[in-house]
Amino acid sequence: MARTTSRPLSPHLTIWKWGPHMAVSIMHRVTGNGLAMVGALGLVWWLMAAAIGPEAYATFVNCATSPIGYLVMIGLSWFFFQHLCSGLRHFVLDMGAGYELRTNKSWSIGVFLAGAVLTILFWSYIFFGKAF
């Protein structure tokens, strides 16, 4: 049987319409890798600073509580909540539910919103305490 080479054998990326479900899937991978890399480096730095002594630990605390340090920690917490919500979405999809186009799109947008809202609530609690 002759094979035609004028078309791809499987669907190509150019025929897919971009949607939020694709963005959530890509962000799930990005946030997982970010947590693994940056989170692991931060954890190792914190443990080494604690093991070396008070001066090293004070340096770590000064860096972690600087504006850039807070930005990194807020980013890591958003990565965590985004990855968590996306993982829950994937768990529901693995059970065979939520594949309808409208439901999938709603859940995908909801994942981004939930990740942002949880991050804001988390840092509001940290900055403003129990009064919030």
Side-chain angles (χ1 to χ4, degrees):
M1 178 179 227
R3 186 186 293 182
T4 60
T5 58
S6 63
R7 62 180 182 85
L9 297 177
S10 61
H12 193 267
L13 291 175
T14 58
I15 69 168
W16 296 107
K17 183 179 177 187
W18 184 260
H21 59 286
M22 294 170 116
V24 168
S25 182
I26 292 167
M27 282 304 296
H28 187 73
R29 290 173 177 87
V30 169
T31 56
N33 288 325
L35 286 169
M37 299 295 290
V38 178
L41 289 173
L43 178 65
V44 168
W45 183 21
W46 174 63
L47 289 173
M48 286 187 63
I52 291 172
E55 291 177 14
Y57 192 75
T59 302
F60 170 80
V61 170
N62 286 337
C63 289
T65 56
S66 70
I68 294 175
Y70 276 119
L71 186 65
V72 169
M73 289 189 291
I74 290 170
L76 275 175
S77 62
W78 178 73
F79 270 33
F80 171 76
F81 289 120
Q82 178 71 26
H83 195 75
L84 173 72
C85 294
S86 179
L88 292 173
R89 177 183 167 269
H90 280 285
F91 180 68
V92 171
L93 290 173
D94 287 344
M95 290 189 299
Y99 280 104
E100 300 79 22
L101 291 178
R102 183 169 278 177
T103 305
N104 198 349
K105 185 176 182 177
S106 300
W107 270 79
S108 300
I109 294 170
V111 163
F112 283 112
L113 292 174
V117 167
L118 288 171
T119 303
I120 291 168
L121 289 173
F122 178 72
W123 283 96
S124 295
Y125 183 78
I126 289 174
F127 285 133
F128 303 118
K130 294 183 181 184
F132 178 70

